[in-house]
Amino acid sequence: MIETLRDISQSLTFRIAGLLALALLPIGLVSVATTSALLENLDSRAEASLLALTEKAAAHERSFLRTGVGAATVFASIVPELRDYNLDCDRPLWDFVSKSNGFTFAGYANEAGQIVCASNGATGSLAENAVFQQMVDNPTPRILVSDSADFGQGSKIVVSVPVFREAVFAGLVAIAFPHGKLIDPMYDLSTERPLDLITYNADAEILTSSGDLSFAPQRLPANIELSRLAQGSDFSFIDWTRDGNLRVFAVVPIVPNQVFALGSWAHDQSDAIAGISLTRSILFPVAMWIVCLGVGFFAVQRMVIRPTRNLRARMLTFMRSRQLASPDHDFATPRELREMDDTWNQLAENVISDEAMLRDTIKQRTVLLKEVHHRVKNNLQLIVSILNMKVRKAQSSEEKAALSEIRQRVMGISRVHQNLYETSSTEHVNAGELLSAVVGGTVRSTVADVGALNFHEEYDDVVIYPDQAVPLSLAITELLTNALKNMGTPDDGDRKPTLSVRLLRDGPHEARVQLCNSVAETRSIDEDLTSSGLGVALIKAFTQQMNGSYEADCTKDLYSVTLKFPIADFDDSSVPDEMPLAS
């Protein structure tokens, strides 16, 4: 994804469009600043209007709750006094409840939680009641919701005030009224935008809701906790609700530090006030930006991108097939691009001409090099013929053996040159093909019955330069000659003599050759296989010429040699003037 975006950003169309967009940026910024100021003004007006409507909508709740708080405060001061003088404390509580419009219970519980005065004459204990337990933990006035039957049937809103005697907690006065009594129909406070009103206490407990109370939590602000809104004075803000609607909120205290009203209405309907439209405010810069991008895109595509792509297509055609296609220009192609096209045609023609000359040169070089290999092979064959004549005329067996050994080595060198011009190109040599031909020819010319030999070959695909191919082939020829000469048959006579040649690649820049032959248990290793023999000296010299290493290992019935060498690039400075021989 990042690479795709980077490629797009480097295109000419993108950059010209970016420059045009940057040139129009001041106009866009002015329009955005104007629109932003307009929105702030509209939001401020909407928030101020919502504060006023929330104050008006919460007037009934404020009046009712303040009446309850005031009555509970009065009873908290007089009920203990009535108890001290053994006067009836139930009567004033009953009078208050019976004459009020909505309150259903008023009572006093002592410090132990026992109800000693009640508007309904009931007695009992509030020791296990959550209202009483909270008052004991923190004896301060509070308003909360309770489902306890101690205050009557159904959900109640309970106003509780602590009672103190000489600064010591002496119980509480509780006044309760049904939950629905606090809700006052809001009639037509705002016909254009319906007002949603929620009341809650200082403990962030929802008391009432203008809608379904069970859905009230979903209509609260999503990014501000209700406990943070239970403090301070009037204020307003804009936020998303928990069910995903953007609304304007206003917080109004109903009972200071105890009960608060949260009013809200939809924000999306406040974008057009006094005939001002947000869409019209931002339409002009957006339209200008789109038009300029369109003009820039069309101009660049027509005058630059299309001719450039045409030139690129003809370059690709030339690269793949060496064919020159005719340019496709029209009146919209700029002069500079036409000149670039002409320059490319001249360059392509020069490349075709140079490649033709280079192919001729390579062909001549290849023919000459193959001819050199062929002539060297013929000259070596001539030397082999002379040596054959010398072998036939030799008198002693030692002289014949020495001449035969020399003849065998010359034939190996001749076979290498023959395979170099028959199996590989002049630039690269497939070592597997070369060794397969060298090994096969050597084995066939040395072993009378190849079927009587347990012979195994394995060659990986290793490509080397001729600088390494020649010493590698000579080393393998020498190793194979020594192996065939010293190869023995196991003493049990049930198995055939074993010979294996393997060319293996060890990574991208390393290779090795392994040659193993069987050795009879009763037969000693020929001295040519020791470090003092001429064969080993030649093998080490060839290995050193390849910058490789030579290892030999002999067990009870198996002799193995491993040549390791790097797959090197061509470097004529690394080719020695003459092959070093071990002394």
Side-chain angles (χ1 to χ4, degrees), residues 251-281:
V251 177
V252 176
I254 297 178
V255 178
N257 299 322
Q258 295 187 50
V259 180
F260 305 85
L262 177 66
S264 67
W265 61 22
H267 178 267
D268 56 357
Q269 297 180 6
S270 64
D271 293 335
I273 298 180
I276 302 176
S277 173
L278 173 63
T279 303
R280 294 180 181 178
S281 301

PDB file of all heavy atoms in Angstrom, residues 251-281:
ATOM      1  N   VAL A 251     -26.190  21.452  30.642  1.00  0.00           N
ATOM      2  CA  VAL A 251     -26.284  20.989  32.024  1.00  0.00           C
ATOM      3  C   VAL A 251     -26.751  22.150  32.890  1.00  0.00           C
ATOM      4  O   VAL A 251     -26.155  23.236  32.864  1.00  0.00           O
ATOM      5  CB  VAL A 251     -24.925  20.458  32.519  1.00  0.00           C
ATOM      6  CG1 VAL A 251     -25.019  20.037  33.987  1.00  0.00           C
ATOM      7  CG2 VAL A 251     -24.464  19.295  31.672  1.00  0.00           C
ATOM      8  N   VAL A 252     -27.842  21.923  33.652  1.00  0.00           N
ATOM      9  CA  VAL A 252     -28.419  22.952  34.523  1.00  0.00           C
ATOM     10  C   VAL A 252     -28.610  22.339  35.914  1.00  0.00           C
ATOM     11  O   VAL A 252     -29.298  21.321  36.054  1.00  0.00           O
ATOM     12  CB  VAL A 252     -29.772  23.456  33.971  1.00  0.00           C
ATOM     13  CG1 VAL A 252     -30.390  24.455  34.944  1.00  0.00           C
ATOM     14  CG2 VAL A 252     -29.582  24.075  32.594  1.00  0.00           C
ATOM     15  N   PRO A 253     -27.997  22.913  36.974  1.00  0.00           N
ATOM     16  CA  PRO A 253     -28.248  22.410  38.326  1.00  0.00           C
ATOM     17  C   PRO A 253     -29.696  22.687  38.748  1.00  0.00           C
ATOM     18  O   PRO A 253     -30.208  23.796  38.577  1.00  0.00           O
ATOM     19  CB  PRO A 253     -27.252  23.197  39.190  1.00  0.00           C
ATOM     20  CG  PRO A 253     -26.219  23.716  38.237  1.00  0.00           C
ATOM     21  CD  PRO A 253     -26.951  23.956  36.954  1.00  0.00           C
ATOM     22  N   ILE A 254     -30.376  21.667  39.262  1.00  0.00           N
ATOM     23  CA  ILE A 254     -31.744  21.819  39.793  1.00  0.00           C
ATOM     24  C   ILE A 254     -31.697  22.066  41.300  1.00  0.00           C
ATOM     25  O   ILE A 254     -32.240  23.046  41.804  1.00  0.00           O
ATOM     26  CB  ILE A 254     -32.579  20.571  39.471  1.00  0.00           C
ATOM     27  CG1 ILE A 254     -32.723  20.411  37.955  1.00  0.00           C
ATOM     28  CG2 ILE A 254     -33.951  20.668  40.122  1.00  0.00           C
ATOM     29  CD1 ILE A 254     -33.483  19.178  37.554  1.00  0.00           C
ATOM     30  N   VAL A 255     -31.031  21.171  42.007  1.00  0.00           N
ATOM     31  CA  VAL A 255     -30.760  21.363  43.435  1.00  0.00           C
ATOM     32  C   VAL A 255     -29.253  21.472  43.547  1.00  0.00           C
ATOM     33  O   VAL A 255     -28.542  20.524  43.197  1.00  0.00           O
ATOM     34  CB  VAL A 255     -31.284  20.181  44.278  1.00  0.00           C
ATOM     35  CG1 VAL A 255     -30.943  20.391  45.753  1.00  0.00           C
ATOM     36  CG2 VAL A 255     -32.771  20.018  44.084  1.00  0.00           C
ATOM     37  N   PRO A 256     -28.719  22.601  44.000  1.00  0.00           N
ATOM     38  CA  PRO A 256     -27.264  22.802  43.992  1.00  0.00           C
ATOM     39  C   PRO A 256     -26.514  21.645  44.623  1.00  0.00           C
ATOM     40  O   PRO A 256     -26.817  21.197  45.725  1.00  0.00           O
ATOM     41  CB  PRO A 256     -27.093  24.100  44.782  1.00  0.00           C
ATOM     42  CG  PRO A 256     -28.384  24.827  44.596  1.00  0.00           C
ATOM     43  CD  PRO A 256     -29.446  23.766  44.547  1.00  0.00           C
ATOM     44  N   ASN A 257     -25.529  21.132  43.826  1.00  0.00           N
ATOM     45  CA  ASN A 257     -24.614  20.067  44.259  1.00  0.00           C
ATOM     46  C   ASN A 257     -25.310  18.733  44.508  1.00  0.00           C
ATOM     47  O   ASN A 257     -24.694  17.810  45.043  1.00  0.00           O
ATOM     48  CB  ASN A 257     -23.841  20.480  45.508  1.00  0.00           C
ATOM     49  CG  ASN A 257     -22.994  21.711  45.283  1.00  0.00           C
ATOM     50  OD1 ASN A 257     -22.417  21.880  44.208  1.00  0.00           O
ATOM     51  ND2 ASN A 257     -22.943  22.587  46.270  1.00  0.00           N
ATOM     52  N   GLN A 258     -26.623  18.625  44.156  1.00  0.00           N
ATOM     53  CA  GLN A 258     -27.328  17.377  44.421  1.00  0.00           C
ATOM     54  C   GLN A 258     -28.019  16.812  43.181  1.00  0.00           C
ATOM     55  O   GLN A 258     -27.859  15.640  42.869  1.00  0.00           O
ATOM     56  CB  GLN A 258     -28.371  17.569  45.532  1.00  0.00           C
ATOM     57  CG  GLN A 258     -27.767  17.901  46.891  1.00  0.00           C
ATOM     58  CD  GLN A 258     -28.806  17.901  47.976  1.00  0.00           C
ATOM     59  OE1 GLN A 258     -29.583  16.953  48.098  1.00  0.00           O
ATOM     60  NE2 GLN A 258     -28.850  18.970  48.763  1.00  0.00           N
ATOM     61  N   VAL A 259     -28.788  17.614  42.484  1.00  0.00           N
ATOM     62  CA  VAL A 259     -29.532  17.141  41.329  1.00  0.00           C
ATOM     63  C   VAL A 259     -29.260  18.082  40.160  1.00  0.00           C
ATOM     64  O   VAL A 259     -29.226  19.313  40.335  1.00  0.00           O
ATOM     65  CB  VAL A 259     -31.044  17.065  41.616  1.00  0.00           C
ATOM     66  CG1 VAL A 259     -31.797  16.569  40.393  1.00  0.00           C
ATOM     67  CG2 VAL A 259     -31.311  16.160  42.810  1.00  0.00           C
ATOM     68  N   PHE A 260     -29.108  17.481  38.980  1.00  0.00           N
ATOM     69  CA  PHE A 260     -28.792  18.242  37.773  1.00  0.00           C
ATOM     70  C   PHE A 260     -29.701  17.772  36.651  1.00  0.00           C
ATOM     71  O   PHE A 260     -30.167  16.628  36.634  1.00  0.00           O
ATOM     72  CB  PHE A 260     -27.329  18.035  37.362  1.00  0.00           C
ATOM     73  CG  PHE A 260     -26.342  18.363  38.446  1.00  0.00           C
ATOM     74  CD1 PHE A 260     -26.011  17.414  39.406  1.00  0.00           C
ATOM     75  CD2 PHE A 260     -25.763  19.607  38.510  1.00  0.00           C
ATOM     76  CE1 PHE A 260     -25.104  17.703  40.403  1.00  0.00           C
ATOM     77  CE2 PHE A 260     -24.854  19.909  39.506  1.00  0.00           C
ATOM     78  CZ  PHE A 260     -24.524  18.963  40.464  1.00  0.00           C
ATOM     79  N   ALA A 261     -29.945  18.689  35.706  1.00  0.00           N
ATOM     80  CA  ALA A 261     -30.740  18.371  34.520  1.00  0.00           C
ATOM     81  C   ALA A 261     -29.831  18.423  33.299  1.00  0.00           C
ATOM     82  O   ALA A 261     -29.047  19.369  33.137  1.00  0.00           O
ATOM     83  CB  ALA A 261     -31.895  19.352  34.364  1.00  0.00           C
ATOM     84  N   LEU A 262     -29.914  17.394  32.435  1.00  0.00           N
ATOM     85  CA  LEU A 262     -29.141  17.324  31.202  1.00  0.00           C
ATOM     86  C   LEU A 262     -30.110  17.354  30.027  1.00  0.00           C
ATOM     87  O   LEU A 262     -30.849  16.401  29.787  1.00  0.00           O
ATOM     88  CB  LEU A 262     -28.314  16.033  31.159  1.00  0.00           C
ATOM     89  CG  LEU A 262     -27.490  15.788  29.888  1.00  0.00           C
ATOM     90  CD1 LEU A 262     -26.390  16.832  29.748  1.00  0.00           C
ATOM     91  CD2 LEU A 262     -26.892  14.383  29.886  1.00  0.00           C
ATOM     92  N   GLY A 263     -30.130  18.486  29.325  1.00  0.00           N
ATOM     93  CA  GLY A 263     -30.983  18.621  28.150  1.00  0.00           C
ATOM     94  C   GLY A 263     -30.173  18.489  26.877  1.00  0.00           C
ATOM     95  O   GLY A 263     -28.993  18.851  26.828  1.00  0.00           O
ATOM     96  N   SER A 264     -30.779  17.957  25.810  1.00  0.00           N
ATOM     97  CA  SER A 264     -30.063  17.812  24.539  1.00  0.00           C
ATOM     98  C   SER A 264     -31.049  17.848  23.393  1.00  0.00           C
ATOM     99  O   SER A 264     -32.225  17.518  23.546  1.00  0.00           O
ATOM    100  CB  SER A 264     -29.283  16.483  24.518  1.00  0.00           C
ATOM    101  OG  SER A 264     -30.162  15.386  24.505  1.00  0.00           O
ATOM    102  N   TRP A 265     -30.524  18.269  22.226  1.00  0.00           N
ATOM    103  CA  TRP A 265     -31.281  18.166  20.989  1.00  0.00           C
ATOM    104  C   TRP A 265     -30.320  17.878  19.843  1.00  0.00           C
ATOM    105  O   TRP A 265     -29.114  17.986  19.987  1.00  0.00           O
ATOM    106  CB  TRP A 265     -32.150  19.393  20.720  1.00  0.00           C
ATOM    107  CG  TRP A 265     -31.403  20.700  20.565  1.00  0.00           C
ATOM    108  CD1 TRP A 265     -30.106  20.886  20.234  1.00  0.00           C
ATOM    109  CD2 TRP A 265     -31.945  22.005  20.730  1.00  0.00           C
ATOM    110  NE1 TRP A 265     -29.787  22.202  20.177  1.00  0.00           N
ATOM    111  CE2 TRP A 265     -30.903  22.926  20.473  1.00  0.00           C
ATOM    112  CE3 TRP A 265     -33.204  22.503  21.059  1.00  0.00           C
ATOM    113  CZ2 TRP A 265     -31.091  24.307  20.551  1.00  0.00           C
ATOM    114  CZ3 TRP A 265     -33.380  23.873  21.119  1.00  0.00           C
ATOM    115  CH2 TRP A 265     -32.336  24.760  20.879  1.00  0.00           C
ATOM    116  N   ALA A 266     -30.880  17.500  18.712  1.00  0.00           N
ATOM    117  CA  ALA A 266     -30.063  17.063  17.570  1.00  0.00           C
ATOM    118  C   ALA A 266     -29.223  18.206  17.047  1.00  0.00           C
ATOM    119  O   ALA A 266     -29.710  19.314  16.842  1.00  0.00           O
ATOM    120  CB  ALA A 266     -30.956  16.493  16.469  1.00  0.00           C
ATOM    121  N   HIS A 267     -27.952  17.945  16.810  1.00  0.00           N
ATOM    122  CA  HIS A 267     -27.044  18.973  16.301  1.00  0.00           C
ATOM    123  C   HIS A 267     -27.167  19.158  14.797  1.00  0.00           C
ATOM    124  O   HIS A 267     -26.947  20.255  14.286  1.00  0.00           O
ATOM    125  CB  HIS A 267     -25.599  18.596  16.649  1.00  0.00           C
ATOM    126  CG  HIS A 267     -24.578  19.570  16.130  1.00  0.00           C
ATOM    127  ND1 HIS A 267     -23.946  19.428  14.925  1.00  0.00           N
ATOM    128  CD2 HIS A 267     -24.101  20.726  16.667  1.00  0.00           C
ATOM    129  CE1 HIS A 267     -23.115  20.430  14.731  1.00  0.00           C
ATOM    130  NE2 HIS A 267     -23.178  21.234  15.778  1.00  0.00           N
ATOM    131  N   ASP A 268     -27.525  18.098  14.070  1.00  0.00           N
ATOM    132  CA  ASP A 268     -27.548  18.191  12.613  1.00  0.00           C
ATOM    133  C   ASP A 268     -28.628  19.131  12.098  1.00  0.00           C
ATOM    134  O   ASP A 268     -28.620  19.505  10.935  1.00  0.00           O
ATOM    135  CB  ASP A 268     -27.730  16.804  11.996  1.00  0.00           C
ATOM    136  CG  ASP A 268     -28.973  16.106  12.518  1.00  0.00           C
ATOM    137  OD1 ASP A 268     -29.651  16.665  13.396  1.00  0.00           O
ATOM    138  OD2 ASP A 268     -29.247  15.004  12.038  1.00  0.00           O
ATOM    139  N   GLN A 269     -29.563  19.519  12.948  1.00  0.00           N
ATOM    140  CA  GLN A 269     -30.597  20.453  12.517  1.00  0.00           C
ATOM    141  C   GLN A 269     -30.242  21.890  12.852  1.00  0.00           C
ATOM    142  O   GLN A 269     -31.009  22.791  12.586  1.00  0.00           O
ATOM    143  CB  GLN A 269     -31.936  20.088  13.187  1.00  0.00           C
ATOM    144  CG  GLN A 269     -32.445  18.715  12.786  1.00  0.00           C
ATOM    145  CD  GLN A 269     -33.763  18.390  13.464  1.00  0.00           C
ATOM    146  OE1 GLN A 269     -34.345  19.221  14.138  1.00  0.00           O
ATOM    147  NE2 GLN A 269     -34.228  17.176  13.277  1.00  0.00           N
ATOM    148  N   SER A 270     -29.059  22.107  13.456  1.00  0.00           N
ATOM    149  CA  SER A 270     -28.675  23.466  13.817  1.00  0.00           C
ATOM    150  C   SER A 270     -27.699  24.064  12.830  1.00  0.00           C
ATOM    151  O   SER A 270     -27.081  25.073  13.115  1.00  0.00           O
ATOM    152  CB  SER A 270     -28.032  23.469  15.205  1.00  0.00           C
ATOM    153  OG  SER A 270     -26.824  22.729  15.182  1.00  0.00           O
ATOM    154  N   ASP A 271     -27.500  23.397  11.655  1.00  0.00           N
ATOM    155  CA  ASP A 271     -26.535  23.901  10.684  1.00  0.00           C
ATOM    156  C   ASP A 271     -27.092  25.029   9.831  1.00  0.00           C
ATOM    157  O   ASP A 271     -26.364  25.601   9.020  1.00  0.00           O
ATOM    158  CB  ASP A 271     -26.062  22.759   9.771  1.00  0.00           C
ATOM    159  CG  ASP A 271     -25.258  21.743  10.545  1.00  0.00           C
ATOM    160  OD1 ASP A 271     -24.678  22.093  11.580  1.00  0.00           O
ATOM    161  OD2 ASP A 271     -25.241  20.590  10.094  1.00  0.00           O
ATOM    162  N   ALA A 272     -28.313  25.305   9.868  1.00  0.00           N
ATOM    163  CA  ALA A 272     -28.881  26.400   9.068  1.00  0.00           C
ATOM    164  C   ALA A 272     -29.770  27.245   9.965  1.00  0.00           C
ATOM    165  O   ALA A 272     -30.824  26.804  10.395  1.00  0.00           O
ATOM    166  CB  ALA A 272     -29.697  25.848   7.902  1.00  0.00           C
ATOM    167  N   ILE A 273     -29.301  28.377  10.338  1.00  0.00           N
ATOM    168  CA  ILE A 273     -30.033  29.335  11.173  1.00  0.00           C
ATOM    169  C   ILE A 273     -29.988  30.690  10.486  1.00  0.00           C
ATOM    170  O   ILE A 273     -28.945  31.103   9.980  1.00  0.00           O
ATOM    171  CB  ILE A 273     -29.421  29.423  12.593  1.00  0.00           C
ATOM    172  CG1 ILE A 273     -29.529  28.069  13.289  1.00  0.00           C
ATOM    173  CG2 ILE A 273     -30.092  30.496  13.421  1.00  0.00           C
ATOM    174  CD1 ILE A 273     -28.955  28.041  14.682  1.00  0.00           C
ATOM    175  N   ALA A 274     -31.087  31.379  10.521  1.00  0.00           N
ATOM    176  CA  ALA A 274     -31.191  32.724   9.926  1.00  0.00           C
ATOM    177  C   ALA A 274     -30.856  32.699   8.444  1.00  0.00           C
ATOM    178  O   ALA A 274     -30.271  33.634   7.903  1.00  0.00           O
ATOM    179  CB  ALA A 274     -30.283  33.709  10.650  1.00  0.00           C
ATOM    180  N   GLY A 275     -31.205  31.603   7.744  1.00  0.00           N
ATOM    181  CA  GLY A 275     -31.043  31.536   6.290  1.00  0.00           C
ATOM    182  C   GLY A 275     -29.632  31.272   5.830  1.00  0.00           C
ATOM    183  O   GLY A 275     -29.338  31.414   4.647  1.00  0.00           O
ATOM    184  N   ILE A 276     -28.696  30.870   6.719  1.00  0.00           N
ATOM    185  CA  ILE A 276     -27.316  30.626   6.339  1.00  0.00           C
ATOM    186  C   ILE A 276     -27.101  29.123   6.201  1.00  0.00           C
ATOM    187  O   ILE A 276     -27.399  28.374   7.106  1.00  0.00           O
ATOM    188  CB  ILE A 276     -26.351  31.213   7.383  1.00  0.00           C
ATOM    189  CG1 ILE A 276     -26.610  32.713   7.530  1.00  0.00           C
ATOM    190  CG2 ILE A 276     -24.908  30.944   7.006  1.00  0.00           C
ATOM    191  CD1 ILE A 276     -25.780  33.347   8.610  1.00  0.00           C
ATOM    192  N   SER A 277     -26.566  28.657   5.048  1.00  0.00           N
ATOM    193  CA  SER A 277     -26.389  27.231   4.785  1.00  0.00           C
ATOM    194  C   SER A 277     -24.905  26.871   4.791  1.00  0.00           C
ATOM    195  O   SER A 277     -24.093  27.541   4.152  1.00  0.00           O
ATOM    196  CB  SER A 277     -26.999  26.867   3.421  1.00  0.00           C
ATOM    197  OG  SER A 277     -26.690  25.541   3.106  1.00  0.00           O
ATOM    198  N   LEU A 278     -24.546  25.816   5.519  1.00  0.00           N
ATOM    199  CA  LEU A 278     -23.157  25.356   5.553  1.00  0.00           C
ATOM    200  C   LEU A 278     -22.718  24.826   4.192  1.00  0.00           C
ATOM    201  O   LEU A 278     -21.596  25.065   3.753  1.00  0.00           O
ATOM    202  CB  LEU A 278     -23.018  24.265   6.619  1.00  0.00           C
ATOM    203  CG  LEU A 278     -21.664  23.538   6.683  1.00  0.00           C
ATOM    204  CD1 LEU A 278     -20.552  24.504   7.048  1.00  0.00           C
ATOM    205  CD2 LEU A 278     -21.723  22.401   7.692  1.00  0.00           C
ATOM    206  N   THR A 279     -23.616  24.140   3.492  1.00  0.00           N
ATOM    207  CA  THR A 279     -23.266  23.584   2.181  1.00  0.00           C
ATOM    208  C   THR A 279     -22.871  24.682   1.210  1.00  0.00           C
ATOM    209  O   THR A 279     -21.889  24.568   0.478  1.00  0.00           O
ATOM    210  CB  THR A 279     -24.443  22.777   1.623  1.00  0.00           C
ATOM    211  OG1 THR A 279     -24.795  21.762   2.560  1.00  0.00           O
ATOM    212  CG2 THR A 279     -24.086  22.142   0.297  1.00  0.00           C
ATOM    213  N   ARG A 280     -23.639  25.781   1.210  1.00  0.00           N
ATOM    214  CA  ARG A 280     -23.302  26.881   0.305  1.00  0.00           C
ATOM    215  C   ARG A 280     -21.996  27.547   0.693  1.00  0.00           C
ATOM    216  O   ARG A 280     -21.292  28.095  -0.155  1.00  0.00           O
ATOM    217  CB  ARG A 280     -24.437  27.910   0.325  1.00  0.00           C
ATOM    218  CG  ARG A 280     -25.748  27.379  -0.250  1.00  0.00           C
ATOM    219  CD  ARG A 280     -26.823  28.430  -0.196  1.00  0.00           C
ATOM    220  NE  ARG A 280     -28.094  27.925  -0.734  1.00  0.00           N
ATOM    221  CZ  ARG A 280     -29.204  28.636  -0.774  1.00  0.00           C
ATOM    222  NH1 ARG A 280     -29.227  29.873  -0.293  1.00  0.00           N
ATOM    223  NH2 ARG A 280     -30.300  28.100  -1.284  1.00  0.00           N
ATOM    224  N   SER A 281     -21.629  27.509   1.973  1.00  0.00           N
ATOM    225  CA  SER A 281     -20.415  28.180   2.419  1.00  0.00           C
ATOM    226  C   SER A 281     -19.157  27.485   1.905  1.00  0.00           C
ATOM    227  O   SER A 281     -18.151  28.143   1.633  1.00  0.00           O
ATOM    228  CB  SER A 281     -20.376  28.238   3.957  1.00  0.00           C
ATOM    229  OG  SER A 281     -21.493  28.933   4.454  1.00  0.00           O
TER     230      SER A 281
END
